[in-house]
Structure formats: C-alpha cells, structure tokens
Amino acid sequence: DSAHKLILLIYLCFGRIINMKDLFIEGISNISLADVNYAKELGFKIKLLATAKKENDKLECRVSPTLIPDTNLLSSVGGVFNSIYVSSDLAGELLFYGPGAGQLSAASAVVSDLIDLTQDIKAGLFRPTLNIIEDNSIKELRKIAEAESRYYIRFSALDKPGVLAKISGILAKFGISIASVTQKEWKKAHIVPIVMVVHNAKEKNLRAALSNIDRLDIIKEKSVAIMIEDV
C-alpha cells in the first residue's frame, strides 16, 4: 500500500513514473518491541516511511522502517491517519495530515474525485492525463546499496570479554564509525542486546559488515539495522 502511494507521489512531485520492481521495499517483520523501546530511549520513533529524495541528479526511492526524531510531527502519526511531508525549494517544509484508511474516509475520497471529474467534463476541462512536467535534471534512480544514512543497529551477543572489540573492528574495516553504543541487561543464556548508532554509512558497506559480524560465534541472532532519517 505504501509503495503504491509512493509511486503516485513521485509522479506528482517529479513527473517520473517508477516501476514497482525498481523500488526498495522492506517490511516491519524484523522489528521487535525491544527495538521500539530502545529507539524511544534514544529519542526516536520507528515508522514505516515511503521516501523519495532527490540528491543532485539522482532520485532515491524506498519503503522501509525508519527511525525519526520523536520531536518531528511525523512521529505522532498513528492509527488510521496518514501524513505526507514535503521539503520544497520555495514553500519550505509542508506537512499534510488526515485519515487514510477506513470505509468512510476512503468513500469520501472516491466520491470527491468522481464529483471533480464530472464537473471538469461538464465544463470542458477534462484532460486524459495530468499536466505534470517531468524533472529532466533527474538522470537515474539511486540503488539502495548506494544510499547513505545513519543507522540504528541491534546485536544479540554472548556476554563475554572482547565482544565489542570484535564488532567494532569489523565495522571499522568497512569504514563505519560508531556514534554511540549501549549494552543492555542480561537475557537468557547470557545473551545480551548491544544497541549502536553509527554515523553516515553506505547501505552496501553496512550490510557487508553485518554479514561478517553475524558469522561470528559470539552472535546468536541475526542483527537488526534500521535507517535513521533526520527529517
């Protein structure tokens, strides 16, 4: 659902039609309640964001769980409500908020569109296509592997000496710098969560580092990494 909405918004904002297969889509199945609580301790909330960002001549598009500051208005959106955040060149930052699910709000939107359409046809203003101008400065879509972001990472490791040194050593090998690290309380079988926030890193470098870390005998569960969006 979020991906389909993002495709429509990309067309309205940039005049580009993006195929679903070209979108990076990640769900929330790997997110645990512990991640929600740890994110809260760090001053963030986890939201499923559908994002399109233009940087120079590239357009980055993705749907994924994302940490956003709990001071941002997007962090308070919940329930049946949806929100669209737009950063523009002249109007600045804009936020559109309202119900996006449920039979009444959906019916209202459909009926409103039908009324607008019939009025346009009656007035002779109907156009078979929207008058959208393509942004020709966009040359290509940025692959998610090339995306750069801060990240929240949670490791599940044995509580023994040298664990942090091994993890940080592999991160350093891939050029990933640690901003903060917290080791939580003991869990069963002396397995402890280690929560890190790292500075800007390329997605491909982070995934390569985590692949190496997850193969260590001290790591007992697949590590979780979530992008941080400083909106």
Side-chain angles (χ1 to χ4, degrees):
D1 182 58
S2 299
H4 284 95
K5 290 176 180 176
L6 181 60
I7 288 173
L8 293 174
L9 290 170
I10 290 171
Y11 179 58
L12 292 174
C13 293
F14 303 106
R16 301 291 293 267
I17 298 177
I18 305 299
N19 291 323
M20 182 71 73
K21 64 180 179 63
D22 294 324
L23 282 180
F24 173 79
I25 303 174
E26 180 184 0
I28 61 173
S29 58
N30 292 328
I31 307 300
S32 69
L33 179 59
D35 294 313
V36 174
N37 292 331
Y38 295 152
K40 184 177 180 180
E41 290 178 15
L42 294 168
F44 295 98
K45 283 191 177 179
I46 301 176
K47 293 292 183 180
L48 183 66
L49 292 191
T51 306
K53 294 192 295 185
K54 177 187 172 185
E55 293 186 2
N56 299 320
D57 61 350
K58 295 182 180 181
L59 186 64
E60 179 185 315
C61 311
R62 61 180 170 86
V63 178
S64 64
T66 308
L67 269 71
I68 57 175
D70 57 13
T71 54
N72 188 279
L73 289 175
L74 285 174
S75 69
S76 63
V77 179
V80 301
F81 291 90
N82 287 173
S83 185
I84 302 173
Y85 169 84
V86 179
S87 179
S88 64
D89 52 358
L90 297 179
E93 298 179 349
L94 306 171
L95 187 73
F96 304 91
Y97 173 84
Q103 59 184 10
L104 295 180
S105 58
S108 173
V110 171
V111 171
S112 175
D113 287 345
L114 290 173
I115 291 174
D116 285 344
L117 179 61
T118 55
Q119 289 179 337
D120 286 349
I121 292 174
K122 184 177 180 180
L125 300 175
F126 174 73
R127 298 188 303 271
T129 59
L130 295 175
N131 187 26
I132 301 293
I133 299 174
E134 182 177 352
D135 187 343
N136 292 319
S137 66
I138 298 174
K139 303 303 181 185
E140 61 179 315
L141 294 181
R142 171 180 285 162
K143 296 184 182 299
I144 193 64
E146 298 299 323
E148 292 192 27
S149 174
R150 294 200 295 150
Y151 286 87
Y152 157 99
I153 310 173
R154 174 173 56 82
F155 303 101
S156 294
L158 290 178
D159 185 41
K160 57 191 301 185
V163 169
L164 284 177
K166 290 182 179 180
I167 292 174
S168 60
I170 293 176
L171 291 174
K173 178 182 176 182
F174 287 89
I176 299 168
S177 175
I178 300 171
S180 67
V181 57
T182 305
Q183 183 170 309
K184 299 300 180 179
E185 295 179 358
W186 279 15
K187 300 294 181 181
K188 58 183 180 181
H190 300 298
I191 298 174
V192 295
I194 299 173
V195 176
M196 286 186 180
V197 173
V198 300
H199 293 294
N200 268 27
K202 280 193 176 183
E203 172 83 10
K204 65 179 181 182
N205 292 342
L206 181 82
R207 296 302 170 182
L210 293 184
S211 178
N212 279 263
I213 291 170
D214 286 346
R215 288 198 291 267
L216 296 174
D217 58 3
I218 57 172
I219 301 297
K220 296 305 177 183
E221 294 179 10
K222 185 177 180 180
S223 302
V224 174
I226 310 174
M227 281 185 167
I228 297 176
E229 189 75 59
D230 294 305
V231 289

